[in-house]
Amino acid sequence: MKNLKKYTSFILAFALALTLAACGGSPAGDSSGNTTSGDGEDGKKYLIGISQYGEHGSLDNCRIGFLQGLEAAGLKEGTDFEVHYQNAGFDDNIATQIGATFSAENVDMMVAVATPSATACFAAAEDKDIPVIFTAITDPVGAKLDSGNITGTSDVLPVEGQLQLIRDLQPNAKTVGIIYTTSEANSVYSVGVYEEKAAQYGLTIESVGVTAQSEVTQAVDTLISRGVDCLSNLTDNNVVGVLPAILEKTNEAGIPVYGSEIEQMKLGCVAGAGLDYIKLGIQTGQMAAKVLRGEAACQDLPYEVIENFDLYINSEALDAMGILIPENVSSTAIEANS
């Protein structure tokens, strides 16, 4: 049985490698699959493997911003580097296979978007000492990604900014509902911060943990039945992945949902205090450029965070909920749908 499992794992990894070669192995921007000699400073074209845990607005923006950050640092795609981009579809097993494939390809760098992909890439890269750059990780320390040949950027949430925004928009609110994935270190950390800070704003937190994306909509029903005044959404990948289904239920119940970045407001969340994930990606790309060029090792670059956050509003969603926008919010907030 043990040998059968090993044989099955080998077949899966081999099949994934063939898929990558057929579908994702060509450099971005060169659909022909042909490679050209690099014109980088050392004459080498770097091979960068990008593993994205799943597809939604904030993670997509991180990847887009990362490539912009490399370009801003003077590295041109197709000339100085090529990209092997793969998406795990929110599947931990596929994330692990992607990391193993990148290691087999001897990429010059692995870039991981979101915690599960970073964990998988770091495990796959250790034996060959391949540098790993991560982004969109709320708690690198809790995820044990804060030492070794790895660094990147954290999207730690501005929880107090969010609680103040809820208080400003819903002065009579008492209970905030949160859905989170129990296996996501970033989500567990964020819920803990919410629970620690909420009382300072006259609020209590009602949280429901899930283990899979299929449980999220049932968790919404649970929070609605408990009479929460609103929901505050994290950057939890399982939850964000089904945000339209969440909003369908909460809109029907007349319960506003606050988002954590602008793409969530575009989908229908009423407002949110959050980060610009394009900027986060750019910051990550500039760090990666230093490592690729040998200007610094990952160990010399502590992970970074964006200190400032913005307020975003969806005026149509607020109006549908009958929520008036006070002057102190309207004067500083960015309209998500402008």
Side-chain angles (χ1 to χ4, degrees):
M1 180 63 70
K2 191 173 183 180
N3 289 333
L4 178 59
K5 289 182 178 179
K6 288 183 177 180
Y7 179 74
T8 302
S9 298
F10 172 79
I11 293 298
L12 288 172
F14 181 71
L16 180 66
L18 290 177
T19 301
L20 293 176
C23 302
S26 62
D30 183 1
S31 59
S32 68
N34 297 323
T35 60
T36 56
S37 58
D39 295 325
E41 292 181 359
D42 58 1
K44 175 181 180 180
K45 180 187 285 187
Y46 305 111
L47 177 58
I48 302 173
I50 299 181
S51 175
Q52 183 171 316
Y53 187 53
E55 186 174 7
H56 60 66
S58 57
L59 300 188
D60 291 341
N61 284 347
C62 279
R63 186 186 76 253
I64 293 167
F66 174 79
L67 296 174
Q68 291 178 5
L70 288 178
E71 184 176 353
L75 296 178
K76 184 178 179 181
E77 186 173 1
T79 300
D80 301 306
F81 69 92
E82 63 179 62
V83 170
H84 286 190
Y85 163 69
Q86 295 298 322
N87 190 311
F90 301 109
D91 187 314
D92 289 357
N93 291 326
I94 294 178
T96 298
Q97 292 171 18
I98 291 171
T101 301
F102 286 165
S103 177
E105 291 178 333
N106 291 313
V107 298
D108 296 293
M109 173 179 287
M110 296 189 198
V111 176
V113 186
T115 304
S117 287
T119 301
C121 283
F122 190 39
E126 278 191 298
D127 287 346
K128 295 185 177 180
D129 203 31
I130 298 171
V132 178
I133 305 292
F134 61 75
T135 188
I137 295 182
T138 300
D139 183 20
V141 176
K144 299 180 180 179
L145 299 172
D146 60 324
S147 63
N149 199 3
I150 185 169
T151 190
T153 56
S154 168
D155 63 345
V156 62
L157 297 176
V159 172
E160 293 193 72
Q162 185 85 320
L163 291 169
Q164 183 61 58
L165 181 62
I166 293 171
R167 176 52 65 221
D168 289 340
L169 292 174
Q170 292 182 265
N172 297 320
K174 295 180 180 179
T175 306
V176 179
I178 297 177
I179 303 167
Y180 72 100
T181 303
T182 56
S183 60
E184 279 207 26
N186 60 320
S187 298
V188 174
Y189 171 82
S190 295
V191 170
V193 177
Y194 266 95
E195 291 173 342
E196 176 188 347
K197 302 292 185 180
Q200 300 174 26
Y201 298 86
L203 296 164
T204 59
I205 303 300
E206 189 75 37
S207 62
V208 176
V210 299
T211 60
Q213 195 169 76
S214 59
E215 301 172 10
V216 173
T217 53
Q218 183 178 348
V220 176
D221 291 334
T222 299
L223 289 174
I224 292 173
S225 70
R226 292 179 184 176
V228 298
D229 296 296
C230 64
L231 269 64
S232 188
N233 207 27
L234 309 177
T235 51
D236 188 295
N237 292 295
N238 279 325
V239 178
V240 176
V242 291
L243 183 54
I246 294 172
L247 291 169
E248 183 177 349
K249 287 179 173 289
T250 54
N251 287 343
E252 184 178 348
I255 298 175
V257 179
Y258 293 82
S260 53
E261 47 84 29
I262 191 170
E263 300 299 333
Q264 294 177 24
M265 268 59 78
K266 289 179 179 179
L267 287 175
C269 290
V270 295
L275 307 178
D276 184 326
Y277 277 76
I278 291 287
K279 291 181 181 178
L280 188 71
I282 290 172
Q283 187 172 341
T284 312
Q286 291 174 336
M287 294 178 73
K290 292 179 182 179
V291 175
L292 286 171
R293 287 172 163 161
E295 297 170 2
C298 288
Q299 294 89 334
D300 303 325
L301 298 172
Y303 73 85
E304 299 178 359
V305 299
I306 290 182
E307 299 293 341
N308 299 321
F309 64 90
D310 292 307
L311 296 182
Y312 302 100
I313 57 173
N314 181 326
S315 295
E316 291 183 7
L318 285 165
D319 184 62
M321 290 290 169
I323 297 176
L324 299 177
I325 308 172
E327 173 62 26
N328 65 313
V329 174
S330 63
S331 62
T332 58
I334 300 168
E335 177 61 58
N337 291 321
S338 60

